[in-house]
Amino acid sequence: MLERKPTESKETQQERYYLVREDMLPEALLKTIQAKELLARGEVKTIHEAVDKVDLSRSAFYKYKDGVFPLNRLERERIVTISMDLEHRAGILSRVLAMIAGLEGNVLTIHQTIPLQGMANVVISVDTSMMGEQLAVLLEKLRDQDGVRRASLIGQG
């Protein structure tokens, strides 16, 4: 939920978020989430159909739609980009990918340069939403992996 202090100007207002257990939420917020899920799954085509189906007013839907999200949606948007220098030896990239999968990371993209002087740069984008708080563990394991000369986080979003 969003809370703003009345003494702050619009330019300095900062959004604050809270994690609230579902059974503590008002019915209008829960129904807004249900309506958004119906729309996202394609079970209804319009907002009017969605709010009718969950018995919610359109004004309540529009009031809350941009401020309430299921936690799993927020977690899904955790994509990191990692740059590594790998020795040019058979199986190193395969072991790196297996390690990421073992920590429940989902590799989205891989870009590898042609090896020069026995080294190749590899940049991978990984969806870490299923990893929990294991990103630091992943980076440490990558750095300790035989054949990985360097591993660093270069982007997160």
Side-chain angles (χ1 to χ4, degrees):
M1 284 198 216
L2 179 63
E3 177 187 279
R4 293 192 171 128
K5 295 180 181 176
T7 58
E8 296 177 337
S9 69
K10 273 193 170 181
E11 292 79 29
T12 62
Q13 289 176 342
Q14 183 177 12
E15 293 181 345
R16 294 173 62 188
Y17 296 89
Y18 300 91
L19 183 62
V20 180
R21 205 174 60 226
E22 181 180 33
D23 64 330
M24 302 293 291
L25 292 173
E27 186 177 5
L29 292 176
L30 291 171
K31 288 183 175 187
T32 300
I33 292 169
Q34 291 170 351
K36 289 174 66 172
E37 288 173 349
L38 289 172
L39 288 161
R41 288 192 306 262
E43 292 181 27
V44 295
K45 295 185 189 265
T46 66
I47 291 172
H48 180 75
E49 287 178 276
V51 297
D52 278 351
K53 196 164 189 172
V54 298
D55 192 31
L56 178 70
S57 71
R58 283 189 315 164
S59 63
F61 177 83
Y62 283 111
K63 179 178 180 180
Y64 298 122
K65 74 176 180 68
D66 294 326
V68 61
F69 305 96
L71 184 59
N72 62 351
R73 174 168 171 230
L74 295 175
E75 289 175 348
R76 260 188 262 137
E77 297 174 4
R78 295 183 53 198
I79 298 172
V80 298
T81 304
I82 301 170
S83 176
M84 296 173 286
D85 290 332
L86 305 181
E87 294 176 6
H88 183 55
R89 289 190 284 134
I92 293 175
L93 180 57
S94 178
R95 285 193 301 273
V96 165
L97 296 175
M99 180 187 307
I100 293 169
L103 291 172
E104 297 190 44
N106 183 26
V107 175
L108 303 173
T109 64
I110 303 172
H111 175 76
Q112 180 176 354
T113 63
I114 295 172
L116 297 173
Q117 299 176 352
M119 296 291 288
N121 180 258
V122 177
V123 177
I124 60 172
S125 296
V126 180
D127 178 346
T128 63
S129 60
M130 299 298 291
M131 291 177 63
E133 299 300 317
Q134 296 190 66
L135 179 58
V137 171
L138 172 64
L139 288 170
E140 184 178 325
K141 284 187 172 194
L142 286 172
R143 291 176 182 132
D144 291 342
Q145 179 72 37
D146 180 45
V148 177
R149 291 276 182 96
R150 181 189 61 82
S152 58
L153 185 67
I154 61 171
Q156 192 168 7

